[in-house]
Structure formats: C-alpha cells, structure tokens
Amino acid sequence: MEFLQQKVIEDGVVIDGSILKVDSFLNHQIDAQLMNEIGKNLFETYKDKNITKILTIEASGIAPAIMAALHFNVPCLFAKKAQPSTLTEEIYSTEIHSYTKNKTNHVIISKKFLNEDDRVLIIDDFLANGEAALGLYSLVKQAGASCQGVGIVIEKSFQKGRQRLINEGLNVTSLCRIASLDNNQVTLVGE
Ligand code: 5GP
C-alpha cells in the first residue's frame, strides 16, 4: 500500500519518538477513499478464508473495519469500551490496556453477535504492544469462534505486538510497517 505509506510519511506527526498522530486521515478526519483501499487490500489477502465477521474496537478501528466488511459482505462488529444501559443481554468481556491513553478499559461485545461458527478477521488502526488485538482475540476465543487473521493499518514494528500475536499462532497482515520513530522521524521497515 504505497499510497498509505506516502500518507504516513507526509501527514503523520510523531510525538515523543513513540506515538504517530494520523488524525488528518485515520483517527479524527477520515480519508474514505484510503479506507476503501485498505478494506479492498485486506479482502484480497483473506478472501479465501471464508470470513463471516470483522471484529474491531471502538473508535478508531471502525473506519478500516467497516470498509473491509463491505468488501467481504459480512457484518462489522466492534467491541465497546463501556456497557450502555441498552445492552442488557449476555456479554463476552475482557480488559484492554490502551497504549496511548495509559488506561485499562473493560471492553464488551454481546454474545448474540459472535458464535462458534464465526470465522473472524480482527482489524485495528494500529499495532503497538498487541494489547487491543489480543483482547479482541480473547473475545473470539470466549465465543468459540476462530480467528483467521489480524489486519492492521499501521504497525509499529519496533514494539512487541507482532511477535506476541505470532506467538499466539495468529496470521498478521500490516499494511504499513514502521521501523522507527526515533528523532521524531518516520522510518518504514525496509527503508
Ligand atoms: P496496542 O494495543 O497494540 O498496544 O496498541 C494499539 C492501540 O493503541 C490501537 O487501538 C491504537 O488506537 C492505539 N495506538 C497505539 N499506538 C498508537 C500510535 O502511535 N498512534 C495512534 N494514533 N494510536 C496508537
């Protein structure tokens, strides 16, 4: 995804040598065309896996996840960080520590939207230490469903997330991989 890499280099803003701010196209204002390309790319990678559901976490995972869901023609389910009063049915839940907010969220999904017949593709905007993806994988396992892969828009490869997911036996597909944010400069893997 050359266009995504170009966007990351041109429009990404590095904070404290470890956080990449991409609020002009992914985390606040959203580039719909780019999200569509991301969805299409993940579809091409996982189209033979009989995916029945896309799973992400609110809020920033939803944009790429819903575009992927459109290409797979399956529902997009997102884990919620708080249990709304309208959600009274049984739930699967887990704890996810947020890397950027330094806060642990209790996240939930309704049991009625995930079951043992589901073949899930997990999607998120970033992969850092793998907390979000592993938390989503825990929800998949609680439901008895299978995880066919993890699709990530931007992976910070200098953090341990990818290795932790691989250690769990998961397939990881990252569309843009960052080797370093040292000196507040983006260096992509392979550069
Ligand atoms: P992990 O759970 O893998 O440690 O971190 C991934 C989650 O933290 C993503 O859901 C994302 O929202 C957030 N995150 C981690 N690193 C960054 C970053 O550099 N920039 C932004 N915008 N979000 C990040």
Side-chain angles (χ1 to χ4, degrees), residues 17-52:
S18 66
I19 303 280
L20 184 68
K21 195 171 166 189
V22 285
D23 60 357
S24 66
F25 63 92
L26 181 57
N27 288 149
H28 191 14
Q29 173 172 267
I30 296 170
D31 183 330
Q33 200 54 52
L34 178 61
M35 292 307 122
N36 187 35
E37 289 303 317
I38 286 166
K40 204 189 293 181
N41 201 294
L42 290 172
F43 172 71
E44 286 302 325
T45 307
Y46 288 97
K47 66 184 176 196
D48 298 330
K49 298 281 186 188
N50 297 322
I51 301 296
T52 63

PDB file of all heavy atoms in Angstrom, residues 17-52:
ATOM      1  N   GLY A  17       8.755  10.551  19.952  1.00  0.00           N
ATOM      2  CA  GLY A  17       9.503   9.433  19.382  1.00  0.00           C
ATOM      3  C   GLY A  17       8.822   8.074  19.500  1.00  0.00           C
ATOM      4  O   GLY A  17       9.451   7.046  19.246  1.00  0.00           O
ATOM      5  N   SER A  18       7.517   8.067  19.874  1.00  0.00           N
ATOM      6  CA  SER A  18       6.870   6.754  20.010  1.00  0.00           C
ATOM      7  C   SER A  18       5.420   6.702  19.521  1.00  0.00           C
ATOM      8  O   SER A  18       4.921   5.632  19.201  1.00  0.00           O
ATOM      9  CB  SER A  18       6.915   6.278  21.469  1.00  0.00           C
ATOM     10  OG  SER A  18       6.139   7.128  22.263  1.00  0.00           O
ATOM     11  N   ILE A  19       4.754   7.832  19.482  1.00  0.00           N
ATOM     12  CA  ILE A  19       3.345   7.859  19.046  1.00  0.00           C
ATOM     13  C   ILE A  19       3.260   8.565  17.699  1.00  0.00           C
ATOM     14  O   ILE A  19       3.876   9.620  17.498  1.00  0.00           O
ATOM     15  CB  ILE A  19       2.465   8.656  20.052  1.00  0.00           C
ATOM     16  CG1 ILE A  19       2.571   8.079  21.463  1.00  0.00           C
ATOM     17  CG2 ILE A  19       1.020   8.729  19.578  1.00  0.00           C
ATOM     18  CD1 ILE A  19       1.732   6.868  21.715  1.00  0.00           C
ATOM     19  N   LEU A  20       2.495   7.974  16.794  1.00  0.00           N
ATOM     20  CA  LEU A  20       2.275   8.604  15.495  1.00  0.00           C
ATOM     21  C   LEU A  20       0.847   9.149  15.459  1.00  0.00           C
ATOM     22  O   LEU A  20      -0.118   8.401  15.658  1.00  0.00           O
ATOM     23  CB  LEU A  20       2.480   7.578  14.374  1.00  0.00           C
ATOM     24  CG  LEU A  20       2.376   8.149  12.967  1.00  0.00           C
ATOM     25  CD1 LEU A  20       3.544   9.083  12.668  1.00  0.00           C
ATOM     26  CD2 LEU A  20       2.332   7.019  11.939  1.00  0.00           C
ATOM     27  N   LYS A  21       0.765  10.447  15.209  1.00  0.00           N
ATOM     28  CA  LYS A  21      -0.555  11.064  15.116  1.00  0.00           C
ATOM     29  C   LYS A  21      -0.956  11.101  13.641  1.00  0.00           C
ATOM     30  O   LYS A  21      -0.223  11.658  12.818  1.00  0.00           O
ATOM     31  CB  LYS A  21      -0.447  12.480  15.691  1.00  0.00           C
ATOM     32  CG  LYS A  21      -1.747  13.133  15.995  1.00  0.00           C
ATOM     33  CD  LYS A  21      -1.518  14.433  16.748  1.00  0.00           C
ATOM     34  CE  LYS A  21      -2.799  15.237  16.735  1.00  0.00           C
ATOM     35  NZ  LYS A  21      -2.623  16.575  17.250  1.00  0.00           N
ATOM     36  N   VAL A  22      -2.079  10.487  13.343  1.00  0.00           N
ATOM     37  CA  VAL A  22      -2.543  10.442  11.940  1.00  0.00           C
ATOM     38  C   VAL A  22      -3.995  10.902  11.886  1.00  0.00           C
ATOM     39  O   VAL A  22      -4.836  10.282  11.248  1.00  0.00           O
ATOM     40  CB  VAL A  22      -2.379   9.017  11.320  1.00  0.00           C
ATOM     41  CG1 VAL A  22      -0.938   8.723  10.993  1.00  0.00           C
ATOM     42  CG2 VAL A  22      -2.949   7.949  12.245  1.00  0.00           C
ATOM     43  N   ASP A  23      -4.248  12.009  12.590  1.00  0.00           N
ATOM     44  CA  ASP A  23      -5.648  12.437  12.696  1.00  0.00           C
ATOM     45  C   ASP A  23      -6.155  13.165  11.460  1.00  0.00           C
ATOM     46  O   ASP A  23      -7.330  13.490  11.385  1.00  0.00           O
ATOM     47  CB  ASP A  23      -5.887  13.248  13.981  1.00  0.00           C
ATOM     48  CG  ASP A  23      -5.050  14.498  14.058  1.00  0.00           C
ATOM     49  OD1 ASP A  23      -4.233  14.716  13.149  1.00  0.00           O
ATOM     50  OD2 ASP A  23      -5.227  15.259  15.021  1.00  0.00           O
ATOM     51  N   SER A  24      -5.289  13.388  10.460  1.00  0.00           N
ATOM     52  CA  SER A  24      -5.797  14.039   9.243  1.00  0.00           C
ATOM     53  C   SER A  24      -6.416  13.036   8.280  1.00  0.00           C
ATOM     54  O   SER A  24      -7.144  13.405   7.365  1.00  0.00           O
ATOM     55  CB  SER A  24      -4.675  14.807   8.548  1.00  0.00           C
ATOM     56  OG  SER A  24      -3.702  13.898   8.081  1.00  0.00           O
ATOM     57  N   PHE A  25      -6.134  11.710   8.480  1.00  0.00           N
ATOM     58  CA  PHE A  25      -6.737  10.740   7.553  1.00  0.00           C
ATOM     59  C   PHE A  25      -7.263   9.465   8.190  1.00  0.00           C
ATOM     60  O   PHE A  25      -7.953   8.681   7.557  1.00  0.00           O
ATOM     61  CB  PHE A  25      -5.758  10.383   6.417  1.00  0.00           C
ATOM     62  CG  PHE A  25      -4.483   9.704   6.857  1.00  0.00           C
ATOM     63  CD1 PHE A  25      -4.392   8.317   6.903  1.00  0.00           C
ATOM     64  CD2 PHE A  25      -3.371  10.453   7.207  1.00  0.00           C
ATOM     65  CE1 PHE A  25      -3.219   7.684   7.281  1.00  0.00           C
ATOM     66  CE2 PHE A  25      -2.182   9.840   7.594  1.00  0.00           C
ATOM     67  CZ  PHE A  25      -2.107   8.452   7.638  1.00  0.00           C
ATOM     68  N   LEU A  26      -6.949   9.235   9.497  1.00  0.00           N
ATOM     69  CA  LEU A  26      -7.361   7.953  10.084  1.00  0.00           C
ATOM     70  C   LEU A  26      -8.058   8.069  11.439  1.00  0.00           C
ATOM     71  O   LEU A  26      -9.050   7.391  11.687  1.00  0.00           O
ATOM     72  CB  LEU A  26      -6.113   7.047  10.194  1.00  0.00           C
ATOM     73  CG  LEU A  26      -6.262   5.635  10.750  1.00  0.00           C
ATOM     74  CD1 LEU A  26      -7.270   4.813   9.961  1.00  0.00           C
ATOM     75  CD2 LEU A  26      -4.910   4.905  10.737  1.00  0.00           C
ATOM     76  N   ASN A  27      -7.546   8.918  12.313  1.00  0.00           N
ATOM     77  CA  ASN A  27      -8.035   8.915  13.697  1.00  0.00           C
ATOM     78  C   ASN A  27      -8.998  10.036  14.074  1.00  0.00           C
ATOM     79  O   ASN A  27      -9.481  10.076  15.199  1.00  0.00           O
ATOM     80  CB  ASN A  27      -6.854   8.956  14.682  1.00  0.00           C
ATOM     81  CG  ASN A  27      -6.098   7.651  14.716  1.00  0.00           C
ATOM     82  OD1 ASN A  27      -4.904   7.643  14.953  1.00  0.00           O
ATOM     83  ND2 ASN A  27      -6.785   6.543  14.471  1.00  0.00           N
ATOM     84  N   HIS A  28      -9.210  10.978  13.166  1.00  0.00           N
ATOM     85  CA  HIS A  28     -10.136  12.070  13.511  1.00  0.00           C
ATOM     86  C   HIS A  28     -10.891  12.406  12.232  1.00  0.00           C
ATOM     87  O   HIS A  28     -12.012  11.978  12.017  1.00  0.00           O
ATOM     88  CB  HIS A  28      -9.335  13.249  14.077  1.00  0.00           C
ATOM     89  CG  HIS A  28     -10.163  14.330  14.710  1.00  0.00           C
ATOM     90  ND1 HIS A  28     -11.474  14.173  15.043  1.00  0.00           N
ATOM     91  CD2 HIS A  28      -9.833  15.594  15.090  1.00  0.00           C
ATOM     92  CE1 HIS A  28     -11.934  15.289  15.583  1.00  0.00           C
ATOM     93  NE2 HIS A  28     -10.967  16.164  15.615  1.00  0.00           N
ATOM     94  N   GLN A  29     -10.211  13.087  11.309  1.00  0.00           N
ATOM     95  CA  GLN A  29     -10.744  13.201   9.949  1.00  0.00           C
ATOM     96  C   GLN A  29     -10.373  11.896   9.248  1.00  0.00           C
ATOM     97  O   GLN A  29      -9.270  11.373   9.457  1.00  0.00           O
ATOM     98  CB  GLN A  29     -10.092  14.400   9.264  1.00  0.00           C
ATOM     99  CG  GLN A  29     -10.422  14.541   7.808  1.00  0.00           C
ATOM    100  CD  GLN A  29      -9.898  15.863   7.267  1.00  0.00           C
ATOM    101  OE1 GLN A  29     -10.597  16.854   7.243  1.00  0.00           O
ATOM    102  NE2 GLN A  29      -8.645  15.850   6.836  1.00  0.00           N
ATOM    103  N   ILE A  30     -11.310  11.368   8.451  1.00  0.00           N
ATOM    104  CA  ILE A  30     -11.057  10.067   7.821  1.00  0.00           C
ATOM    105  C   ILE A  30     -11.060  10.185   6.303  1.00  0.00           C
ATOM    106  O   ILE A  30     -11.994  10.758   5.720  1.00  0.00           O
ATOM    107  CB  ILE A  30     -12.114   9.036   8.285  1.00  0.00           C
ATOM    108  CG1 ILE A  30     -11.985   8.806   9.802  1.00  0.00           C
ATOM    109  CG2 ILE A  30     -11.955   7.713   7.547  1.00  0.00           C
ATOM    110  CD1 ILE A  30     -13.122   8.010  10.408  1.00  0.00           C
ATOM    111  N   ASP A  31     -10.033   9.655   5.669  1.00  0.00           N
ATOM    112  CA  ASP A  31      -9.952   9.616   4.212  1.00  0.00           C
ATOM    113  C   ASP A  31     -10.715   8.360   3.746  1.00  0.00           C
ATOM    114  O   ASP A  31     -10.193   7.243   3.836  1.00  0.00           O
ATOM    115  CB  ASP A  31      -8.472   9.565   3.810  1.00  0.00           C
ATOM    116  CG  ASP A  31      -8.274   9.599   2.297  1.00  0.00           C
ATOM    117  OD1 ASP A  31      -9.154   9.101   1.565  1.00  0.00           O
ATOM    118  OD2 ASP A  31      -7.234  10.102   1.860  1.00  0.00           O
ATOM    119  N   ALA A  32     -11.922   8.581   3.268  1.00  0.00           N
ATOM    120  CA  ALA A  32     -12.798   7.451   2.932  1.00  0.00           C
ATOM    121  C   ALA A  32     -12.230   6.615   1.787  1.00  0.00           C
ATOM    122  O   ALA A  32     -12.332   5.383   1.788  1.00  0.00           O
ATOM    123  CB  ALA A  32     -14.191   7.960   2.582  1.00  0.00           C
ATOM    124  N   GLN A  33     -11.638   7.301   0.796  1.00  0.00           N
ATOM    125  CA  GLN A  33     -11.067   6.578  -0.348  1.00  0.00           C
ATOM    126  C   GLN A  33      -9.918   5.672   0.105  1.00  0.00           C
ATOM    127  O   GLN A  33      -9.813   4.523  -0.311  1.00  0.00           O
ATOM    128  CB  GLN A  33     -10.581   7.610  -1.387  1.00  0.00           C
ATOM    129  CG  GLN A  33     -10.422   7.040  -2.769  1.00  0.00           C
ATOM    130  CD  GLN A  33     -11.684   6.336  -3.271  1.00  0.00           C
ATOM    131  OE1 GLN A  33     -12.767   6.910  -3.242  1.00  0.00           O
ATOM    132  NE2 GLN A  33     -11.556   5.099  -3.708  1.00  0.00           N
ATOM    133  N   LEU A  34      -9.101   6.216   1.002  1.00  0.00           N
ATOM    134  CA  LEU A  34      -7.983   5.423   1.535  1.00  0.00           C
ATOM    135  C   LEU A  34      -8.517   4.236   2.338  1.00  0.00           C
ATOM    136  O   LEU A  34      -8.009   3.117   2.223  1.00  0.00           O
ATOM    137  CB  LEU A  34      -7.076   6.314   2.404  1.00  0.00           C
ATOM    138  CG  LEU A  34      -5.891   5.614   3.079  1.00  0.00           C
ATOM    139  CD1 LEU A  34      -4.938   5.009   2.051  1.00  0.00           C
ATOM    140  CD2 LEU A  34      -5.141   6.590   3.988  1.00  0.00           C
ATOM    141  N   MET A  35      -9.563   4.478   3.149  1.00  0.00           N
ATOM    142  CA  MET A  35     -10.159   3.376   3.933  1.00  0.00           C
ATOM    143  C   MET A  35     -10.689   2.295   3.004  1.00  0.00           C
ATOM    144  O   MET A  35     -10.589   1.100   3.277  1.00  0.00           O
ATOM    145  CB  MET A  35     -11.296   3.877   4.832  1.00  0.00           C
ATOM    146  CG  MET A  35     -10.876   4.767   5.965  1.00  0.00           C
ATOM    147  SD  MET A  35      -9.585   4.053   6.994  1.00  0.00           S
ATOM    148  CE  MET A  35      -8.353   5.314   6.835  1.00  0.00           C
ATOM    149  N   ASN A  36     -11.255   2.726   1.878  1.00  0.00           N
ATOM    150  CA  ASN A  36     -11.781   1.764   0.916  1.00  0.00           C
ATOM    151  C   ASN A  36     -10.646   0.906   0.333  1.00  0.00           C
ATOM    152  O   ASN A  36     -10.779  -0.322   0.213  1.00  0.00           O
ATOM    153  CB  ASN A  36     -12.522   2.514  -0.199  1.00  0.00           C
ATOM    154  CG  ASN A  36     -13.234   1.578  -1.134  1.00  0.00           C
ATOM    155  OD1 ASN A  36     -13.744   0.538  -0.706  1.00  0.00           O
ATOM    156  ND2 ASN A  36     -13.272   1.918  -2.409  1.00  0.00           N
ATOM    157  N   GLU A  37      -9.528   1.545   0.029  1.00  0.00           N
ATOM    158  CA  GLU A  37      -8.367   0.802  -0.496  1.00  0.00           C
ATOM    159  C   GLU A  37      -7.844  -0.186   0.551  1.00  0.00           C
ATOM    160  O   GLU A  37      -7.453  -1.309   0.229  1.00  0.00           O
ATOM    161  CB  GLU A  37      -7.238   1.762  -0.903  1.00  0.00           C
ATOM    162  CG  GLU A  37      -7.529   2.577  -2.148  1.00  0.00           C
ATOM    163  CD  GLU A  37      -7.846   1.708  -3.362  1.00  0.00           C
ATOM    164  OE1 GLU A  37      -7.149   0.703  -3.574  1.00  0.00           O
ATOM    165  OE2 GLU A  37      -8.813   2.013  -4.087  1.00  0.00           O
ATOM    166  N   ILE A  38      -7.859   0.243   1.812  1.00  0.00           N
ATOM    167  CA  ILE A  38      -7.414  -0.618   2.911  1.00  0.00           C
ATOM    168  C   ILE A  38      -8.339  -1.837   3.021  1.00  0.00           C
ATOM    169  O   ILE A  38      -7.896  -2.975   3.122  1.00  0.00           O
ATOM    170  CB  ILE A  38      -7.376   0.198   4.233  1.00  0.00           C
ATOM    171  CG1 ILE A  38      -6.174   1.141   4.207  1.00  0.00           C
ATOM    172  CG2 ILE A  38      -7.363  -0.706   5.463  1.00  0.00           C
ATOM    173  CD1 ILE A  38      -6.199   2.222   5.258  1.00  0.00           C
ATOM    174  N   GLY A  39      -9.634  -1.563   2.954  1.00  0.00           N
ATOM    175  CA  GLY A  39     -10.623  -2.648   3.021  1.00  0.00           C
ATOM    176  C   GLY A  39     -10.441  -3.634   1.881  1.00  0.00           C
ATOM    177  O   GLY A  39     -10.472  -4.860   2.067  1.00  0.00           O
ATOM    178  N   LYS A  40     -10.195  -3.081   0.679  1.00  0.00           N
ATOM    179  CA  LYS A  40     -10.029  -3.915  -0.516  1.00  0.00           C
ATOM    180  C   LYS A  40      -8.767  -4.783  -0.376  1.00  0.00           C
ATOM    181  O   LYS A  40      -8.765  -5.970  -0.697  1.00  0.00           O
ATOM    182  CB  LYS A  40      -9.891  -2.993  -1.741  1.00  0.00           C
ATOM    183  CG  LYS A  40     -10.287  -3.646  -3.037  1.00  0.00           C
ATOM    184  CD  LYS A  40      -9.948  -2.812  -4.248  1.00  0.00           C
ATOM    185  CE  LYS A  40     -10.720  -1.528  -4.391  1.00  0.00           C
ATOM    186  NZ  LYS A  40     -10.355  -0.772  -5.607  1.00  0.00           N
ATOM    187  N   ASN A  41      -7.700  -4.166   0.120  1.00  0.00           N
ATOM    188  CA  ASN A  41      -6.436  -4.876   0.281  1.00  0.00           C
ATOM    189  C   ASN A  41      -6.563  -6.041   1.266  1.00  0.00           C
ATOM    190  O   ASN A  41      -6.080  -7.151   1.014  1.00  0.00           O
ATOM    191  CB  ASN A  41      -5.398  -3.859   0.772  1.00  0.00           C
ATOM    192  CG  ASN A  41      -4.001  -4.302   0.496  1.00  0.00           C
ATOM    193  OD1 ASN A  41      -3.579  -5.288   1.075  1.00  0.00           O
ATOM    194  ND2 ASN A  41      -3.300  -3.603  -0.392  1.00  0.00           N
ATOM    195  N   LEU A  42      -7.246  -5.788   2.380  1.00  0.00           N
ATOM    196  CA  LEU A  42      -7.428  -6.863   3.377  1.00  0.00           C
ATOM    197  C   LEU A  42      -8.341  -7.952   2.822  1.00  0.00           C
ATOM    198  O   LEU A  42      -8.149  -9.146   3.083  1.00  0.00           O
ATOM    199  CB  LEU A  42      -7.957  -6.295   4.692  1.00  0.00           C
ATOM    200  CG  LEU A  42      -6.936  -5.431   5.456  1.00  0.00           C
ATOM    201  CD1 LEU A  42      -7.584  -4.730   6.643  1.00  0.00           C
ATOM    202  CD2 LEU A  42      -5.746  -6.277   5.938  1.00  0.00           C
ATOM    203  N   PHE A  43      -9.312  -7.535   2.021  1.00  0.00           N
ATOM    204  CA  PHE A  43     -10.188  -8.520   1.378  1.00  0.00           C
ATOM    205  C   PHE A  43      -9.362  -9.427   0.459  1.00  0.00           C
ATOM    206  O   PHE A  43      -9.516 -10.659   0.479  1.00  0.00           O
ATOM    207  CB  PHE A  43     -11.299  -7.823   0.587  1.00  0.00           C
ATOM    208  CG  PHE A  43     -12.109  -8.760  -0.253  1.00  0.00           C
ATOM    209  CD1 PHE A  43     -12.980  -9.663   0.352  1.00  0.00           C
ATOM    210  CD2 PHE A  43     -11.988  -8.780  -1.627  1.00  0.00           C
ATOM    211  CE1 PHE A  43     -13.721 -10.568  -0.414  1.00  0.00           C
ATOM    212  CE2 PHE A  43     -12.710  -9.668  -2.409  1.00  0.00           C
ATOM    213  CZ  PHE A  43     -13.576 -10.567  -1.793  1.00  0.00           C
ATOM    214  N   GLU A  44      -8.488  -8.828  -0.345  1.00  0.00           N
ATOM    215  CA  GLU A  44      -7.655  -9.622  -1.263  1.00  0.00           C
ATOM    216  C   GLU A  44      -6.804 -10.639  -0.492  1.00  0.00           C
ATOM    217  O   GLU A  44      -6.613 -11.767  -0.921  1.00  0.00           O
ATOM    218  CB  GLU A  44      -6.742  -8.711  -2.107  1.00  0.00           C
ATOM    219  CG  GLU A  44      -7.485  -7.946  -3.197  1.00  0.00           C
ATOM    220  CD  GLU A  44      -8.225  -8.854  -4.173  1.00  0.00           C
ATOM    221  OE1 GLU A  44      -7.724  -9.949  -4.481  1.00  0.00           O
ATOM    222  OE2 GLU A  44      -9.331  -8.476  -4.612  1.00  0.00           O
ATOM    223  N   THR A  45      -6.304 -10.218   0.669  1.00  0.00           N
ATOM    224  CA  THR A  45      -5.433 -11.110   1.456  1.00  0.00           C
ATOM    225  C   THR A  45      -6.206 -12.270   2.080  1.00  0.00           C
ATOM    226  O   THR A  45      -5.708 -13.384   2.160  1.00  0.00           O
ATOM    227  CB  THR A  45      -4.726 -10.300   2.573  1.00  0.00           C
ATOM    228  OG1 THR A  45      -4.081  -9.190   1.977  1.00  0.00           O
ATOM    229  CG2 THR A  45      -3.701 -11.140   3.326  1.00  0.00           C
ATOM    230  N   TYR A  46      -7.433 -11.988   2.542  1.00  0.00           N
ATOM    231  CA  TYR A  46      -8.165 -13.006   3.323  1.00  0.00           C
ATOM    232  C   TYR A  46      -9.412 -13.549   2.613  1.00  0.00           C
ATOM    233  O   TYR A  46     -10.214 -14.242   3.239  1.00  0.00           O
ATOM    234  CB  TYR A  46      -8.548 -12.413   4.690  1.00  0.00           C
ATOM    235  CG  TYR A  46      -7.346 -12.257   5.603  1.00  0.00           C
ATOM    236  CD1 TYR A  46      -6.682 -11.042   5.704  1.00  0.00           C
ATOM    237  CD2 TYR A  46      -6.854 -13.334   6.334  1.00  0.00           C
ATOM    238  CE1 TYR A  46      -5.560 -10.893   6.516  1.00  0.00           C
ATOM    239  CE2 TYR A  46      -5.739 -13.205   7.150  1.00  0.00           C
ATOM    240  CZ  TYR A  46      -5.104 -11.993   7.239  1.00  0.00           C
ATOM    241  OH  TYR A  46      -3.993 -11.858   8.043  1.00  0.00           O
ATOM    242  N   LYS A  47      -9.548 -13.274   1.299  1.00  0.00           N
ATOM    243  CA  LYS A  47     -10.802 -13.639   0.618  1.00  0.00           C
ATOM    244  C   LYS A  47     -11.049 -15.149   0.560  1.00  0.00           C
ATOM    245  O   LYS A  47     -12.186 -15.580   0.398  1.00  0.00           O
ATOM    246  CB  LYS A  47     -10.868 -13.025  -0.787  1.00  0.00           C
ATOM    247  CG  LYS A  47      -9.849 -13.540  -1.745  1.00  0.00           C
ATOM    248  CD  LYS A  47      -9.950 -12.802  -3.068  1.00  0.00           C
ATOM    249  CE  LYS A  47      -8.843 -13.268  -3.975  1.00  0.00           C
ATOM    250  NZ  LYS A  47      -8.618 -12.383  -5.100  1.00  0.00           N
ATOM    251  N   ASP A  48      -9.987 -15.957   0.684  1.00  0.00           N
ATOM    252  CA  ASP A  48     -10.184 -17.414   0.622  1.00  0.00           C
ATOM    253  C   ASP A  48     -10.433 -18.039   1.992  1.00  0.00           C
ATOM    254  O   ASP A  48     -10.466 -19.266   2.131  1.00  0.00           O
ATOM    255  CB  ASP A  48      -8.960 -18.083  -0.009  1.00  0.00           C
ATOM    256  CG  ASP A  48      -8.755 -17.602  -1.437  1.00  0.00           C
ATOM    257  OD1 ASP A  48      -9.771 -17.273  -2.094  1.00  0.00           O
ATOM    258  OD2 ASP A  48      -7.593 -17.536  -1.882  1.00  0.00           O
ATOM    259  N   LYS A  49     -10.558 -17.216   3.017  1.00  0.00           N
ATOM    260  CA  LYS A  49     -10.661 -17.736   4.393  1.00  0.00           C
ATOM    261  C   LYS A  49     -12.101 -17.850   4.899  1.00  0.00           C
ATOM    262  O   LYS A  49     -12.323 -18.116   6.080  1.00  0.00           O
ATOM    263  CB  LYS A  49      -9.874 -16.840   5.350  1.00  0.00           C
ATOM    264  CG  LYS A  49      -8.391 -16.774   5.055  1.00  0.00           C
ATOM    265  CD  LYS A  49      -7.682 -18.000   5.584  1.00  0.00           C
ATOM    266  CE  LYS A  49      -6.185 -17.874   5.414  1.00  0.00           C
ATOM    267  NZ  LYS A  49      -5.504 -19.118   5.755  1.00  0.00           N
ATOM    268  N   ASN A  50     -13.060 -17.629   4.019  1.00  0.00           N
ATOM    269  CA  ASN A  50     -14.487 -17.717   4.402  1.00  0.00           C
ATOM    270  C   ASN A  50     -14.801 -16.901   5.664  1.00  0.00           C
ATOM    271  O   ASN A  50     -15.423 -17.399   6.602  1.00  0.00           O
ATOM    272  CB  ASN A  50     -14.903 -19.176   4.628  1.00  0.00           C
ATOM    273  CG  ASN A  50     -14.768 -19.976   3.365  1.00  0.00           C
ATOM    274  OD1 ASN A  50     -15.062 -19.477   2.278  1.00  0.00           O
ATOM    275  ND2 ASN A  50     -14.299 -21.204   3.481  1.00  0.00           N
ATOM    276  N   ILE A  51     -14.345 -15.660   5.654  1.00  0.00           N
ATOM    277  CA  ILE A  51     -14.583 -14.763   6.796  1.00  0.00           C
ATOM    278  C   ILE A  51     -16.086 -14.503   6.931  1.00  0.00           C
ATOM    279  O   ILE A  51     -16.773 -14.218   5.951  1.00  0.00           O
ATOM    280  CB  ILE A  51     -13.846 -13.413   6.578  1.00  0.00           C
ATOM    281  CG1 ILE A  51     -12.337 -13.618   6.403  1.00  0.00           C
ATOM    282  CG2 ILE A  51     -14.161 -12.407   7.691  1.00  0.00           C
ATOM    283  CD1 ILE A  51     -11.605 -14.185   7.578  1.00  0.00           C
ATOM    284  N   THR A  52     -16.576 -14.621   8.171  1.00  0.00           N
ATOM    285  CA  THR A  52     -18.008 -14.353   8.402  1.00  0.00           C
ATOM    286  C   THR A  52     -18.225 -13.081   9.213  1.00  0.00           C
ATOM    287  O   THR A  52     -19.348 -12.592   9.304  1.00  0.00           O
ATOM    288  CB  THR A  52     -18.676 -15.508   9.172  1.00  0.00           C
ATOM    289  OG1 THR A  52     -18.051 -15.602  10.473  1.00  0.00           O
ATOM    290  CG2 THR A  52     -18.552 -16.832   8.440  1.00  0.00           C
TER     291      THR A  52
END
